[in-house]
Amino acid sequence: MVESMTIQEFLDVLSSKEPVPGGGASALAGALGNALGQMVSNLTIGKKKYAPVEDEIKELAERMKGIQRQFTQLADRDAEVFAPLAKCYSLPSGTEEEKAYKAEVMEARLLDASLVPMEIMEKAAEMLEIMDILADKGSRMAVSDVGVGVQFIRTALLGAVMNVYINTKSMKNREKAEEMNEKAERLIKEGTEAADRIYQKVLEQLR
């Protein structure tokens, strides 16, 4: 479980030849960006200067706690769906029945392995909406942390999409695969544009 690992334990496993938690790294990037967003909210709450927006920031802080849990859960789920997919490649395919069974199981596992990174992308998009608000209303002393957080979240988005594509590419159901690809492309386009805009907004406040 990712949540029970120390940072060093996670890095040791990630840098090894083990196939997991490779995909989960994108979810962890999202969790890091989320944590920075929470820090900004905590530095804003309770300050007289930001009293007019305190209720809104508190609400965002609670949302971010939930999203952070979802990011760490998705990191674990990514590993959970990859293992059954990897096993599919060793299924027997000597007879027509075996080939048909292998193809059926493979298709289901490829879909499962595509859905988790898609969820990571969706959570990243949600976090970017929150970071946009924090860039405008959060503590000015921590606005640079908004910018750093946005870059982590952008990485989560761009990392996860590759795990979507590598699985949808092998799916036989091309209609479903293209449906997922189109959704991923939309999330990438909207997400990278938002991340770049927020980051630029932060830079302008720092100069």
Side-chain angles (χ1 to χ4, degrees):
M1 295 288 289
V2 168
E3 287 180 305
S4 63
M5 286 183 175
T6 65
I7 293 175
Q8 190 58 56
E9 286 171 343
F10 181 81
L11 292 176
D12 287 344
V13 177
L14 187 63
S15 61
S16 74
K17 60 183 179 181
E18 292 295 320
V20 293
S26 295
L28 264 294
L32 286 169
N34 173 290
L36 285 167
Q38 289 191 62
M39 182 181 75
V40 174
S41 68
N42 288 327
L43 289 169
T44 306
I45 295 167
K47 299 294 175 62
K48 186 177 180 180
K49 179 179 179 181
Y50 302 104
V53 297
E54 179 156 322
D55 288 345
E56 182 179 5
I57 300 299
K58 282 182 176 178
E59 183 181 337
L60 294 178
E62 284 303 308
R63 279 179 63 192
M64 284 188 283
K65 285 180 184 178
I67 296 170
Q68 186 177 60
R69 284 192 298 272
Q70 289 171 311
F71 271 132
T72 54
Q73 289 166 359
L74 285 165
D76 284 327
R77 281 181 55 203
D78 186 85
E80 290 168 5
V81 297
F82 179 80
L85 174 60
K87 288 181 181 178
C88 284
Y89 291 98
S90 60
L91 286 173
S93 55
T95 67
E96 290 304 315
E97 290 78 8
E98 287 174 340
K99 287 179 182 177
Y101 176 74
K102 183 175 183 177
E104 181 183 352
V105 174
M106 179 75 77
E107 189 73 6
R109 298 294 179 261
L110 286 167
L111 179 59
D112 289 342
S114 302
L115 291 173
V116 174
M118 186 73 80
E119 284 190 60
I120 295 171
M121 294 178 73
E122 290 170 343
K123 291 296 122 186
E126 185 176 353
M127 271 305 305
L128 287 171
E129 293 176 4
I130 294 172
M131 298 300 268
D132 196 11
I133 297 171
L134 291 175
D136 292 330
K137 301 181 180 181
S139 170
R140 296 303 86 193
M141 297 295 291
V143 70
S144 61
D145 297 295
V146 174
V148 177
V150 162
Q151 293 304 313
F152 275 120
I153 295 163
R154 191 181 196 277
T155 296
L157 187 71
L158 292 174
V161 76
M162 287 186 273
N163 283 335
V164 173
Y165 289 155
I166 199 169
N167 291 303
T168 57
K169 184 177 182 179
S170 298
M171 288 171 62
K172 300 298 182 186
N173 184 342
R174 296 317 302 163
E175 183 178 351
K176 182 63 176 178
E178 289 309 317
E179 176 188 325
M180 295 186 72
N181 286 345
E182 287 172 12
K183 181 177 180 180
E185 287 165 9
R186 176 177 56 78
L187 286 168
I188 283 296
K189 182 177 186 299
E190 295 175 357
T192 53
E193 287 176 357
D196 293 345
R197 175 177 52 77
I198 299 164
Y199 186 69
Q200 188 60 40
K201 187 194 308 188
V202 169
L203 287 180
E204 289 171 359
Q205 293 180 60
L206 294 174
R207 289 173 179 167

